[in-house]
Amino acid sequence: MESLDMSDLDEELLDIFTEEAKDLLDQSDNLLVQLKETPDNFDLLFGLQRNLHTIKGGARMAGLFSIGELSHSLESLLQPNAEHGIILSPHQFSMVEKSLDALHQMSHSVEERKAPVLSSELMSSLEAGEPSAAQESAHLDDVSETVAEKLQALKALSGPIEVPDLDTEEGLRTPQEVVRIRADLLEQLVNFAGEVAIYRARLEQQLGLFKTNLVELDQTTSRLREQLRRLDIETEAQIAARNIRETDHDKQDFDPLELDRFTNQQQLSRSLAETSNDLVNLQATMDDLTRHHETLLLQQSRVSSELQEGLMRTRMLPFESLLPRLRRVLRQASQDAGKQVQLKVEGAHGEMDRTVLDRMIAPLEHLLRNAVAHGIETPKERKNAGKPETGAVVINISHEGTEVVLSVRDDGRGLDVKQIQKKGVERGLIEAGAVLSEQQILNLITQTGFTTADAITRLSGRGIGMDVVSNEIKNLNGNLSIQTALKKGTEFIIRLPLNLAVTKAVFVKIGESQFAIPIASVDGVGRIGREELEDKMQLESPEFGYAGNKHKIYDLGNLLELPAAKALGSMQVPMLLSKSGQDRIAICVDQVLGSQEIVVKPVGPQVTSIPGVYGASIMPDGGVVVILDLAPLVRHNASRHKPQLVEAVDANARSMPLVMVVDDSITMRKVTSRILERNNYEVIVARDGLEAIEKMAEQVPDLVLLDIEMPRMDGYEVAQNMKADSRLQNVPIMMITSRTGEKHRQRAFELGVERYLGKPYQEFELMRQVNEIFKK
């Protein structure tokens, strides 16, 4: 494709046009879908014309005359139908679809600064109109009676149909002002708003401490006034006693008070009383200031929350904004495969973070193409199977707690589990004797290069579709599961974290550790007697009944692998009630500390790779608390403790490679283990070199990830022992250490270590090297 000649074009004008054209073409796609459902709704047809008219004017203004010509021809094709109230024929619908697809492609070419190519065949078809007069007549005969009735009713209610003047810019459309802003700048603004919320929380905490001190001041002032009252009484008593004595001795005619014979004690007493009154007045003033500050903070909190929500809304897009593109992909795939497929969408108004939405475009397109290529049968096959000739692909969008759930299902032939297993054996991904669960077999389709197609076509056969889907979902810290039924269809369920910058969270305590859990993922809080809970935990599948539903019981300390430290003084155990997929769960905690608004801060890639960690938040006192997501935590626990279905005893029959992680840091062991498990590797761990040697005496791993500095036996000694053992000498070793100096690296390679990786490492780099080792 030739480059776009920019000599007579304004680059800024081109950017404005392509941005507007994308929106208008997406609107036109949606109007066309609605028009198919209600073909006699001529308001939709007028809207389609208005969009084309605007695109035509914008294209000519930008100097893109080929796009303007195509828009004009398509607008002209629709003009007679709009003027005379004639329903579009199937041929016209097809021409509109092809033309809109061509306009999309041409606009995209301009965006990439390539010359848009106008199909002469398409232009000829548009100028020719309907295929023949006979077909037009037959179509009009079919719809004339219905149209006449509807027009008659419309005239009776509203008078004659008026077609808007398409040559004027003015009721054509009222464009909404749009401001383009860089994503990184928007991200900075969201972070700043989050920082403001954190500082506000700290001010609120300090104001709370100030109020506490004011209460203390009030109590102190009260004590002081009482002491002064008693001092006054004592002073007056002393004056009276002295007066009596002096009267008896001197027989004076004047009262001592009249002679102004106050003592220093009496003067200090009066001064302290005045000071006490001043303190009371000062305290009242501070109380008033505190109330004013509380009011200001409350108002600032409201404005800050609205600012935060507004900024977050700018990051959110409705899923329906993707629908025109997905419909085009499905339409093109159906034409290439010679199949009839219809796209249905449920919950399209649900919103997602625009970054997540953009990154999910490619995976969704792959899933749609796969549904057409592998799932949906040909019209003849569907008819023979008793199905409608037109297949259906349904996309469902919903929210579960802090997750967005995307489901893509078709009503096709389903996945052939036996065929997938056979291909897995042929490609060497699994051994012929291994007995696997259905889910383990289905996961093979996400492996790079895996395909069940017998030949390469435009839609399938290269094995580069599902691995893209799987990897992108993992990079977004999501989860992919597959369900299939032979001759009924397949469903791909994608769970992605919902990005929240500010949210309400409930705080819980496990032993000495404190965690935050977003309230969006908590349905309620229940309590159970300690003895009853202990009895239930003896069962294979303990459950807790609440509001007529059964909840599976889990202990948060066990899910997090924390040491048990229960509050034995309490007779009741609090439980957080939540939902994980189709299951209801009850999470036991030591203590529920209450709820408050928190600012969600991102954490490093090594921490986000841990299942169940949603992020972190800075507390008002400056401390950091980890935010947990219950559903992924429970799912990871279930996969970790799922019964092993592989019955082969030979190491060669393993369904997944076995990797040993040897490190004295519990954090590194957990992080590395979970990264490997998420990438379909079995993992065993050892705390030091001696424990690793002991475990390898019982089981030979396929790869060892080894630290250098460890107690009892360091990494060099482990490598030396392994290379001297005939059972272990061929097991590859990758050293992962903070010792990245050349002498340490050289020493490792002299001992026969295959790879050397420094800490901290990136997940991508670790998996790249691990995968390269297993490909050898």
Side-chain angles (χ1 to χ4, degrees):
M1 186 178 291
E2 296 181 3
S3 298
L4 185 63
D5 184 5
M6 298 293 295
S7 56
D8 297 324
L9 301 178
D10 186 324
E11 188 160 2
E12 185 177 357
L13 202 58
L14 291 180
D15 290 335
I16 294 173
F17 168 75
T18 54
E19 188 73 22
E20 184 183 33
K22 183 179 183 300
D23 292 338
L24 290 172
L25 289 171
D26 285 348
Q27 291 177 20
S28 301
D29 280 328
N30 289 328
L31 288 172
L32 189 62
V33 171
Q34 297 175 51
L35 196 58
K36 282 185 176 181
E37 297 173 352
T38 54
D40 56 344
N41 187 342
F42 294 103
D43 287 338
L44 298 174
L45 190 58
F46 293 148
L48 192 58
Q49 277 191 288
R50 287 194 294 270
N51 288 347
L52 291 168
H53 188 77
T54 305
I55 292 173
K56 175 181 71 175
R60 289 175 175 175
M61 183 70 71
L64 304 170
F65 297 103
S66 57
I67 295 180
E69 189 68 22
L70 179 56
S71 302
H72 176 73
S73 298
L74 182 55
E75 181 186 352
S76 301
L77 176 71
L78 302 176
Q79 186 70 21
N81 297 73
E83 286 182 349
H84 304 295
I86 302 173
I87 294 176
L88 293 180
S89 69
H91 175 75
Q92 286 176 311
F93 271 115
S94 176
M95 292 302 300
V96 175
E97 284 181 343
K98 290 179 181 178
S99 300
L100 289 178
D101 287 346
L103 286 171
H104 271 291
Q105 183 60 45
M106 295 169 76
S107 176
H108 184 66
S109 297
V110 173
E111 193 173 13
E112 295 182 340
R113 299 298 185 259
K114 296 177 180 177
V117 179
L118 178 59
S119 169
S120 57
E121 182 181 351
L122 179 60
M123 286 295 295
S124 300
S125 301
L126 287 174
E127 292 169 358
E130 290 294 327
S132 68
Q135 290 175 334
E136 171 68 14
S137 176
H139 173 64
L140 290 177
D141 288 342
D142 291 338
V143 302
S144 59
E145 185 175 352
T146 303
V147 172
E149 291 176 357
K150 293 186 179 294
L151 285 176
Q152 193 68 26
L154 188 61
K155 286 178 181 178
L157 292 172
S158 309
I161 298 176
E162 295 184 0
V163 180
D165 182 8
L166 297 180
D167 290 330
T168 60
E169 183 61 30
E170 186 65 22
L172 281 179
R173 63 190 293 265
T174 305
Q176 190 168 356
E177 292 294 333
V178 177
V179 177
R180 299 178 66 185
I181 184 171
R182 298 200 321 271
D184 60 336
L185 178 58
L186 182 60
E187 190 70 29
Q188 284 183 358
L189 293 176
V190 172
N191 288 335
F192 290 151
E195 294 295 332
V196 170
I198 290 174
Y199 293 139
R200 188 199 74 238
R202 301 190 73 169
L203 283 174
E204 287 176 345
Q205 186 192 44
Q206 292 176 8
L207 186 62
L209 293 173
F210 187 72
K211 287 176 63 178
T212 302
N213 289 328
L214 277 179
V215 173
E216 292 288 340
L217 178 61
D218 179 57
Q219 295 173 352
T220 303
T221 306
S222 297
R223 289 197 305 270
L224 178 61
R225 295 178 67 182
E226 175 62 22
Q227 292 166 356
L228 283 172
R229 187 184 67 82
R230 291 165 60 184
L231 180 61
D232 280 342
I233 294 173
E234 184 66 27
T235 302
E236 293 294 337
Q238 291 181 8
I239 290 174
R242 188 174 66 238
N243 185 22
I244 293 172
R245 290 195 304 271
E246 290 181 351
T247 301
D248 290 342
H249 291 129
D250 300 332
K251 304 295 183 181
Q252 293 179 352
D253 295 332
F254 295 97
D255 187 278
L257 292 179
E258 293 181 282
L259 296 176
D260 199 21
R261 295 176 62 189
F262 285 113
T263 65
N264 288 335
Q265 182 183 6
Q266 294 158 3
Q267 292 175 356
L268 288 173
S269 174
R270 294 294 184 269
S271 298
L272 284 173
E274 292 176 3
T275 303
S276 174
N277 289 331
D278 291 342
L279 281 175
V280 172
N281 293 333
L282 182 59
Q283 179 192 344
T285 303
M286 295 174 71
D287 278 333
D288 289 339
L289 286 173
T290 302
R291 282 192 293 272
H292 290 319
H293 280 84
E294 283 182 323
T295 303
L296 287 174
L297 273 176
L298 183 63
Q299 294 171 345
Q300 195 265 352
S301 172
R302 189 178 299 116
V303 173
S304 177
S305 297
E306 290 177 357
L307 171 64
Q308 189 76 44
E309 290 174 6
L311 287 171
M312 287 304 298
R313 281 198 299 272
T314 62
R315 288 176 38 167
M316 304 298 282
L317 282 179
F319 186 82
E320 63 185 354
S321 62
L322 280 188
L323 294 187
R325 177 168 180 168
L326 297 180
R327 287 195 180 102
R328 291 195 302 273
V329 169
L330 192 68
R331 190 161 59 235
Q332 185 64 50
S334 303
Q335 293 172 359
D336 291 342
K339 300 176 181 179
Q340 300 174 10
V341 188
Q342 180 183 11
L343 179 65
K344 299 179 181 178
V345 183
E346 301 167 351
H349 295 293
E351 291 187 325
M352 295 175 63
D353 186 280
R354 64 178 65 235
T355 303
V356 176
L357 202 59
D358 287 343
R359 292 179 63 176
M360 282 305 299
I361 291 176
L364 287 172
E365 289 180 347
H366 282 302
L367 290 176
L368 292 180
R369 293 191 187 100
N370 279 351
V372 174
H374 299 288
I376 302 296
E377 309 93 334
T378 63
K380 182 178 180 182
E381 290 172 335
R382 293 181 64 85
K383 186 175 182 180
N384 293 337
K387 297 181 179 180
E389 292 187 11
T390 300
V393 176
V394 181
I395 299 178
N396 181 278
I397 305 98
S398 62
H399 289 81
E400 289 185 5
T402 56
E403 293 182 320
V404 178
V405 182
L406 286 175
S407 165
V408 182
R409 67 178 185 272
D410 63 69
D411 64 348
R413 59 174 60 93
L415 294 174
D416 190 337
V417 178
K418 294 182 178 178
Q419 176 70 4
I420 293 173
Q421 185 171 16
K422 179 182 176 184
K423 289 284 186 178
V425 173
E426 291 175 359
R427 292 187 55 83
L429 296 174
I430 55 175
E431 295 293 331
V435 179
L436 308 177
S437 67
E438 182 176 288
Q439 193 61 45
Q440 288 173 320
I441 297 173
L442 292 176
N443 285 338
L444 292 175
I445 69 174
T446 65
Q447 299 296 315
T448 303
F450 187 91
T451 180
T452 56
D454 296 324
I456 295 178
T457 66
R458 293 182 64 181
L459 288 180
S460 63
R462 295 176 177 83
I464 54 172
M466 285 307 300
D467 65 326
V468 172
V469 175
S470 178
N471 290 333
E472 193 60 62
I473 292 172
K474 286 178 182 177
N475 291 336
L476 289 170
N477 294 319
N479 173 268
L480 172 66
S481 60
I482 308 169
Q483 298 177 1
T484 188
L486 203 58
K487 299 182 180 179
K488 293 185 178 180
T490 303
E491 182 176 19
F492 295 88
I493 302 173
I494 302 167
R495 297 179 182 274
L496 299 169
L498 178 64
N499 286 343
L500 299 173
V502 176
T503 186
K504 277 274 190 179
V506 58
F507 286 80
V508 299
K509 201 168 186 181
I510 299 292
E512 297 300 319
S513 303
Q514 183 175 323
F515 300 97
I517 298 170
I519 282 184
S521 63
V522 179
D523 297 330
V525 177
R527 291 186 177 274
I528 187 173
R530 188 169 298 281
E531 292 184 0
E532 181 183 357
L533 176 62
E534 291 174 354
D535 292 339
K536 286 181 177 292
M537 295 304 286
Q538 301 300 320
L539 302 175
E540 183 177 350
S541 181
E543 291 183 338
F544 173 70
Y546 184 84
N549 295 312
K550 296 291 187 182
H551 295 72
K552 294 183 179 179
I553 299 177
Y554 295 89
D555 183 271
L556 186 58
N558 292 338
L559 293 176
L560 297 173
E561 300 181 21
L562 294 175
K566 297 296 179 187
L568 297 178
S570 173
M571 298 304 295
Q572 296 285 316
V573 178
M575 310 175 81
L576 301 181
L577 308 178
S578 184
K579 192 174 181 182
S580 174
Q582 300 300 316
D583 298 327
R584 296 182 182 275
I585 57 177
I587 308 294
C588 298
V589 297
D590 289 354
Q591 192 177 358
V592 176
L593 303 176
S595 64
Q596 71 179 60
E597 190 178 74
I598 61 171
V599 179
V600 180
K601 306 292 287 185
V603 289
Q606 289 186 327
V607 179
T608 54
S609 65
I610 301 176
V613 174
Y614 187 78
S617 183
I618 301 175
M619 301 305 295
D621 61 1
V624 177
V625 64
V626 174
I627 307 171
L628 300 178
D629 200 356
L630 297 179
L633 195 61
V634 170
R635 282 200 301 270
H636 173 70
N637 179 77
S639 64
R640 202 173 31 153
H641 294 92
K642 190 176 294 182
Q644 294 297 320
L645 299 179
V646 182
E647 298 176 356
V649 296
D650 190 352
N652 293 326
R654 284 184 187 134
S655 61
M656 295 181 289
L658 178 65
V659 181
M660 173 177 279
V661 178
V662 188
D663 202 304
D664 60 333
S665 166
I666 186 172
T667 302
M668 289 302 299
R669 290 201 303 272
K670 285 185 177 181
V671 169
T672 308
S673 298
R674 287 169 180 171
I675 290 174
L676 292 167
E677 287 171 354
R678 288 199 301 116
N679 287 273
N680 298 321
Y681 287 97
E682 282 189 68
V683 181
I684 55 175
V685 297
R687 292 171 294 181
D688 54 40
L690 190 58
E691 184 177 2
I693 294 296
E694 291 172 352
K695 288 191 174 183
M696 282 190 282
E698 302 173 359
Q699 193 173 21
V700 179
D702 299 307
L703 170 65
V704 174
L705 304 186
L706 189 59
D707 189 17
I708 291 181
E709 295 176 296
M710 296 181 292
R712 299 203 294 176
M713 182 182 289
D714 64 32
Y716 291 137
E717 293 174 306
V718 174
Q720 197 168 6
N721 275 275
M722 288 178 63
K723 296 306 178 182
D725 189 332
S726 58
R727 292 172 57 254
L728 304 174
Q729 61 184 2
N730 294 323
V731 176
I733 301 173
M734 179 192 296
M735 278 194 166
I736 304 179
T737 175
S738 57
R739 297 291 187 180
T740 56
E742 186 57 35
K743 65 176 182 178
H744 294 92
R745 185 186 301 269
Q746 188 62 34
R747 171 65 174 154
F749 288 137
E750 288 174 358
L751 291 173
V753 172
E754 277 75 8
R755 300 293 173 108
Y756 199 95
L757 190 63
K759 294 181 184 178
Y761 59 80
Q762 296 293 325
E763 177 179 350
F764 170 79
E765 179 62 21
L766 172 68
M767 293 314 305
R768 183 184 69 80
Q769 298 213 31
V770 169
N771 291 331
E772 285 180 358
I773 288 175
F774 283 110
K775 284 179 181 178
K776 289 184 177 179

